[in-house]
């Protein structure tokens, strides 16, 4: 059950980051084209689908992961929380900011200035990627703890483990691909 929920959550969370990259680039590009309104009409449909899928499914699967891992291995869950309490807190604050910016972007569609829309799209992507940056340290720690041991509980030794940078690069590439594929799906439906 943990694997099923985690796979769904990873797909949605990577889409949230990659779709944010797509929104940032597309917003910036749309304002430089002669048919800006037609492009922004598509972006509005993309943003609507993006907002619904990433927030609803992301929230459901995120809570589902916590519930499932607590049942599967409460000791390991407790270790992750206690070892990375500052990282979790930073990620959760970043996530709340990320959602807030996305809502400001979406619900300010008709009232925000061009510059504000581009700024919000870029800010959303930066915050979403930073959230990925933090979560990647915790997830890669579970696979390759590196210099972290029960005697050496240094957060940096666990966070920046041997699998951290390769995993971050792969995740970044995957999230860009997922964002582009989601844009193609929305375009095909429009």
């Amino acid at each position: 059950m943990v694997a099923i929920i985690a796979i769904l959550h990873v797909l949605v969370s990577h889409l949230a980051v990659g779709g944010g990259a797509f929104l940032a680039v597309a917003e910036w590009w749309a304002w430089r084209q002669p048919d800006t309104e037609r492009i922004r009409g598509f972006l509005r449909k993309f943003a609507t689908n993006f907002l619904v899928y990433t927030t609803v499914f992301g929230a459901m699967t995120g809570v589902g992961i916590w519930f499932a891992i607590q049942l599967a291995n409460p000791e390991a869950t407790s270790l992750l929380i206690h070892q990375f309490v500052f990282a979790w807190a930073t990620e959760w604050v970043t996530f709340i900011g990320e959602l807030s910016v996305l809502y400001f972007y979406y619900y300010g569609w008709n009232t925000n200035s061009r510059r504000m829309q581009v700024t919000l799209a870029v800010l959303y992507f930066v915050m979403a990627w930073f959230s990925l940056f933090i979560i990647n340290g915790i997830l890669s720690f579970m696979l390759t703890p590196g210099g972290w041991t029960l005697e050496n509980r240094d957060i940096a030794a666990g966070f920046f483990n041997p699998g951290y940078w390769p995993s971050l690069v792969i995740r970044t590439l995957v999230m860009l691909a997922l964002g582009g594929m989601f844009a193609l799906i929305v375009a095909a439906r429009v």
Side-chain angles (χ1 to χ4, degrees), residues 10-145:
V10 165
L11 284 172
V12 172
S13 65
H14 282 53
L15 168 62
V17 181
F22 177 81
L23 275 177
V25 171
E27 265 300 332
W28 174 82
W29 179 75
W31 292 110
R32 287 156 177 72
Q33 302 306 310
D35 56 347
T36 298
E37 291 311 311
R38 186 174 66 84
I39 297 168
R40 291 204 76 240
F42 164 74
L43 279 179
R44 176 68 176 197
K45 288 180 175 74
F46 177 87
T48 301
N49 285 288
F50 179 74
L51 182 88
V52 169
Y53 290 126
T54 58
T55 58
V56 172
F57 290 117
M60 287 175 19
T61 56
V63 170
I65 285 174
W66 281 104
F67 184 74
I69 66 170
Q70 278 183 144
L71 292 175
N73 196 334
E75 294 83 15
T77 305
S78 177
L79 174 77
L80 283 177
I81 291 169
H82 287 94
Q83 177 62 35
F84 296 108
V85 70
F86 179 73
W88 284 119
T90 304
E91 196 279 330
W92 288 331
V93 168
T94 302
F95 179 68
I96 295 296
E98 174 187 337
L99 288 181
S100 300
V101 168
L102 181 59
Y103 285 115
F104 285 133
Y105 170 82
Y106 183 78
Y107 288 107
W109 194 270
N110 295 322
T111 56
N112 290 341
S113 67
R114 292 178 175 190
R115 183 181 184 130
M116 178 62 77
Q117 280 299 97
V118 173
T119 301
L120 287 172
V122 169
L123 185 59
Y124 171 80
F125 168 66
V126 168
M127 292 178 85
W129 190 85
F130 186 64
S131 182
L132 173 77
F133 180 88
I134 296 167
I135 289 295
N136 183 60
I138 298 166
L139 294 177
S140 59
F141 163 77
M142 290 190 288
L143 297 171
T144 56

